[in-house]
Amino acid sequence: MSTVVLLLITGLGLGALYFLVASGLSLIYGLMGVLNFAHGSFLTLGAFAGWELARRLGSDNWGTFIASIALGAVVGAIFAAATEFFLIRRLYERHIEQVLVTVGLALASVALFDGIWGTDPIYVTGPKWLGGTTQILGASIPNNRFILILAAVLVLLGIVLFLKYTRYGLIIRAGVENRSMVTALGIDVRRAFTVVFAIGGAAAGIGGVLASSYYGYVAPSIGGSLLIFAFIVTVIGGLGSLSGAAIAAALVAVLQQFANFYLGGTGDFVVVLLLAVVLLVRPSGLLGSKA
Amino acid sequence: MNNVKKLFGHSLVKWALGGVLIAFLALLPMLAIDIPGVFPGPTYTPGTLQLLAFSMLIAALALSYHLIFGVAGLLSFGHALYFAIGAYGLGIALRHFGLELLPAIIVTFVVGLFVAAAVGALSLRVTGISFAMVTLAFAQAGSVLIRKNPGKLTGGDEGLALDTTHIPDLFVGVLQTKNLYWLCLAVLVVVFLVSSWFERSNAGHVVAATRENELRVRVIGIRPYFVKLLTFIIGGVLATFVGMAYLLLQSSATQKLASADFTLTLLVIVVLGGVGYRWGAVIGGVIYTLLDQRLTAFASSDAVSGLPDVLRIPLSQPLFILGTLFILVVLFLPGGIAGVTARLASSRQRTEDPRAVLEELG
Amino acid sequence: MSNIILSVKGLSARIAGQQVVEDVTFEVPATGVTALLGRNGVGKTSTIKGILGLIERKGEVTFFGDDQKATRLDKQRTHRIVQQGIGYVPEDREVFSKLTVAENLRLAERDSNPRRDFVAELFPDLVARAGQLAGTLSGGQQQMLSLGRALLNTNKLLLVDEPTKGLAPIIVGEVAAALAEAAKTVPILLVEQNLQVVRQLAAGAIVIEGGRVVHTGSASEFLGDEEMIQRFLGVATAAEAAS
């Protein structure tokens, strides 16, 4: 029983991380039709920014921790917005080339990070409580999982509120459904593109700081390894659907944990199988509207 | 001037030129051409021959991807899988099953064919981004499987070393590098011929038409699914073929061969070289390999280490230079390198207008 | 001298590589309703989309907005074109089904003083259903919403594409009445297959065939000529076309 609880909650913690990356991917694809391969780099840069701050302010207090999350969000947002403005926007409506340019950016940015911070993992520490565990129903849950879940829930809430109550949110919701009609209402939908990239970048940046807490280290490679799973989650949940991404993230991560434990480390394999199955049975994903 | 253009446009002349080029390449191990900074030594040295052979394999691999992406318009993110099957398949057949070289090659071929057919049959049921994701998923599964090292067959993270027991001495050892060089040249030529033949065939024309406008193809009664599957299988099998040569050349296979990173690298190569140009894939492959090998040397050279940090750090990373180059090409030169030279020479040797290819795919 | 609000010269357009509009030339007067007529598939909707820049187009499209100042629309992006004061009611409505009625309307507001009261009076049903998801509305209600969107702003020209398509006769009447009301203050270029509605609303008629304009003139003249109706619209009588 306690094993099940452990797997479930740590699964949700991992799912929270996937969601933080997948939320941006899903919105970006839903509105713009762009598959953003550079999204992992937004995460990585956020993680490093958070680490650099924590390094200078002393990493074992909550104040620093919160500040590094905030900095990660800001850095991620700026990097993402700049990507959209300088690279993606020039290739308006040319989707394949937009994907290609993000591939190039991913390649170049990871190499740059390698150059600046080196390829080896840099171990991080945080507030003491995060390194400890809490007992729930007989299972010892590492505390950082709770922070992850909390962060994901807050980000989800934040995005949902933004979409529902702001004008840009309205434009984005409409644009995901029918982009050309939005322009036919006299709205320059490209500004919403930058906003969507920024939101995705911020969520990824937050994910980056929390990922470094989860894994215990930062390295230029963390973005890329999480990105594959984020893609899978996005596709399973349905490209363009935020709630789909949330559900799929939880599903995929929990499944992964259980498969790793009960089926001898085949978690990755099972996830990939799930993707293939979902795509062949329901190509638009669980909650997706675009085919 | 017009007569010269006409002369070069004539396909017989093109094939003759190709023949001359191949003859020249075949003679390289006997010559002492040296391009310092690019080659580690003159062309008869094993080091340079190894480099050239490797670049020809990458070019061949890029050609096989060109068939799938450039001609058929299928954005596959899992092409590296078939390459890995070639390398690992041959390696396992030789090491763990003790087969002779020829049977091992045949067995690997069959495995590659089977996997390409199975994955293609399933993946082609969806299109566009979904198709890309499914192919990515299958390649990831393969990559994971290799890393897991089932039955100790693949060597996991350590990779698989070539067991040379059943390989003719012709191909073993540093002194025989020129034989391996000729083998790789032969592989490149074969792959080029096969892909040319396919592109000119009926199937090739149909699949190119499918890329452009699937509806029109359906209207005349052809099922796009089958030509696409055929193209996918041929591309996959060619990749397996190249993978086998790779194992012989490098004497080992590592798990990064099946990774998504590697397929993305192939994508970069094909686009850099020029989507829609058969020569583009070849040029891209050669340039990429040479860049990749030499940029490392360049990066750690004295010229670079003397620069201020702001310049030194990015320039010391070959992938940064490659990535940036790639971004610039995508933004400003959609025809890739082959596109630029084609515009300069105004030749007609194109499969299809590259901008149109990319726009159609989008 | 009659004013022109829109001048189209040699418009051609393509969709996915296919030529859908060959060479279209006409003028839209600054008052009243001008009907754009033709069989299915001749390029009427594509002409409208070409004017708006929603599809790839070439040619001269000139808009005479404030004080007869001429602006070339063919070089502008869609949102800029619409911002000049051109409202669009698309074929098949294209309301945002996951947004509420109120949100659909709010999204469409461009002016600082949108004519909410005007729209509310014209479409009381929409007011009642403000919180309802647009995807759950009936065809007729969606059409009202689509019209309401365009009427919220003080537009100088309305491009309306087959507003009565697929609607029950009673609803057709309501839509026509709403359009008549709107036409009092803004010129309308109306694509319509229902000749009863055309007869009721239109002053001028432009007939398209094979991607080109084949006839322009007064609507009543055209509709009175059975032979022309048969030739260009392929229906026996005007009455048949109304069913």
Coordinates of all heavy atoms in Angstrom, one line a residue, chain C residues 6 23 60 91 116 131 140:
Chain C
L6 N -15.5 50.8 -52.8 CA -14.5 49.8 -53.0 C -14.3 49.6 -54.5 O -15.3 49.5 -55.3 CB -14.9 48.5 -52.4 CG -13.9 47.4 -52.4 CD1 -12.8 47.6 -51.4 CD2 -14.6 46.0 -52.1
D23 N -9.7 36.9 -62.9 CA -9.5 38.3 -63.3 C -10.9 39.0 -63.0 O -11.7 39.0 -63.8 CB -9.2 38.4 -64.7 CG -9.0 39.8 -65.2 OD1 -9.1 40.7 -64.3 OD2 -8.7 40.0 -66.4
E60 N -5.5 44.9 -58.0 CA -5.6 46.2 -57.3 C -6.9 46.2 -56.5 O -8.0 46.1 -57.1 CB -5.7 47.4 -58.3 CG -4.4 48.0 -58.6 CD -4.5 49.2 -59.6 OE1 -5.4 50.0 -59.3 OE2 -3.9 49.1 -60.6
E91 N -19.0 33.2 -44.7 CA -19.8 32.0 -45.1 C -19.6 31.0 -43.9 O -18.6 30.9 -43.4 CB -19.3 31.4 -46.4 CG -20.1 30.3 -47.0 CD -19.4 29.7 -48.2 OE1 -18.2 29.9 -48.3 OE2 -20.1 29.0 -48.9
R116 N -23.2 48.7 -28.8 CA -23.8 47.6 -28.1 C -25.3 47.7 -28.1 O -26.0 46.7 -28.3 CB -23.3 47.5 -26.7 CG -21.8 47.3 -26.6 CD -21.4 46.7 -25.3 NE -19.9 46.7 -25.2 CZ -19.2 47.2 -24.2 NH1 -19.8 47.8 -23.2 NH2 -17.9 47.2 -24.2
G131 N -24.5 34.3 -22.0 CA -23.5 33.4 -21.3 C -23.4 32.0 -21.9 O -22.7 31.2 -21.5
G140 N -29.3 29.5 -37.0 CA -29.8 30.9 -37.1 C -29.3 31.8 -36.1 O -28.9 33.0 -36.4

